[in-house]
Amino acid sequence: DIVMTQSPDSLAVSLGERATINCKSSQSVLDSSNNNNNLAWYQQKSGQPPKLLIYWASTRESGVPDRFSGSGSGTDFTLTISSLQAEDVAVYYCHQYYDTPYSFGQGTKLEIK
Amino acid sequence: EVQLVQSGAEVKKPGESLKISCQGSGYSFTSYWVGWVRQMPGKGLEWMGIIYPGDSDTRYSPSFQGQVTFSADRSINTAYLQWSSLKASDTAMYYCARTPYSSSPGDYWGQGTLVTVSS
């Protein structure tokens, strides 16, 4: 099974500053047949279901603000929020959908400093 | 508008059976997979598996294989998650999610069904 490990577990960032969350998979999630990384990022606000932000490691879902960006390939990935807004307070999860059983990282709690 | 609407919260006793539902609308229900995800109280997300309502093809996580059953009724655009004998450790929020392909992330999610198992 592929294990997803996020860092840090929690993060406090000032409004307007950059937030960076890392995700490492225990094996590559790169699909060599199409050169896509099967890696997504979700945002979960308190009391709500998860919301898809990024898929294929770097493709923003429709309607997601462009301050959210994803990068990385193979086993190492990053979610960056370029200028933190108050509404970005949430728990963020990475998710591999390369090999079943699909799996999520443990989550990173993002707060305002 | 794509929507997945899940059935309401349940309170059950250990050993009881339960079937919760997820009704899709605003899209071709039989052309997309439906994934199920567990979130235990205060914890992270766990992938349980997926079902393709078009032909009921299912893929279970080994952690949940034999513990739960996925099914779907195409006539009413509804997917189900069921237990034959609940345990206290099944207490959790359960989400369904529309999944475009077997190998893709869930893009639209239900609001969640809270299952509480307590004697």
Side-chain angles (χ1 to χ4, degrees):
Chain A
D1 296 3
I2 298 177
V3 177
M4 308 300 289
T5 304
Q6 292 180 225
S7 61
D9 289 334
S10 63
L11 181 61
V13 174
S14 300
L15 290 172
E17 295 300 304
R18 178 184 301 257
T20 301
I21 299 170
N22 299 300
C23 174
K24 189 174 185 68
S25 57
S26 60
Q27 62 191 74
S28 176
V29 298
L30 175 64
D31 186 344
S32 55
S33 69
N34 56 22
N35 212 36
N36 281 330
N37 287 281
N38 289 21
L39 188 285
W41 289 96
Y42 286 95
Q43 174 194 65
Q44 187 178 30
K45 296 182 179 179
S46 181
Q48 295 184 19
K51 175 187 175 184
L52 179 64
L53 297 176
I54 303 281
Y55 58 95
W56 304 132
S58 60
T59 301
R60 213 177 296 116
E61 176 74 334
S62 175
V64 173
D66 60 8
R67 63 179 181 274
F68 290 92
S69 63
S71 63
S73 183
T75 61
D76 292 278
F77 301 90
T78 300
L79 174 69
T80 301
I81 307 172
S82 60
S83 177
L84 190 71
Q85 305 300 302
E87 61 265 32
D88 300 335
V89 168
V91 179
Y92 292 84
Y93 294 93
C94 60
H95 169 55
Q96 69 83 14
Y97 49 95
Y98 175 75
D99 190 28
T100 59
Y102 300 152
S103 49
F104 295 88
Q106 80 276 17
T108 295
K109 186 174 184 179
L110 178 59
E111 299 173 312
I112 305 294
K113 187 187 290 182
Chain B
E1 179 195 7
V2 174
Q3 280 193 306
L4 285 88
V5 178
Q6 297 186 231
S7 49
E10 302 273 2
V11 179
K12 292 289 190 179
K13 290 182 168 33
E16 292 185 330
S17 63
L18 176 64
K19 192 174 190 177
I20 64 174
S21 66
C22 168
Q23 185 173 43
S25 62
Y27 71 99
S28 176
F29 185 72
T30 54
S31 300
Y32 289 77
W33 295 76
V34 173
W36 289 96
V37 173
R38 182 175 79 174
Q39 187 166 38
M40 299 178 78
K43 301 299 184 184
L45 305 172
E46 299 175 87
W47 187 81
M48 301 177 69
I50 50 175
I51 182 169
Y52 189 70
D55 61 7
S56 292
D57 185 10
T58 57
R59 318 273 171 90
Y60 291 96
S61 165
S63 297
F64 294 93
Q65 178 91 47
Q67 309 304 308
V68 298
T69 301
F70 304 151
S71 60
D73 185 337
R74 291 174 290 179
S75 68
I76 54 172
N77 290 353
T78 300
Y80 300 97
L81 168 61
Q82 70 180 83
W83 296 258
S84 58
S85 180
L86 286 159
K87 310 183 214 20
S89 57
D90 293 317
T91 295
M93 182 73 81
Y94 292 89
Y95 293 104
C96 63
R98 189 187 81 157
T99 304
Y101 309 101
S102 61
S103 184
S104 68
D107 56 1
Y108 287 87
W109 290 59
Q111 81 278 18
T113 296
L114 180 62
V115 174
T116 303
V117 184
S118 174
S119 54

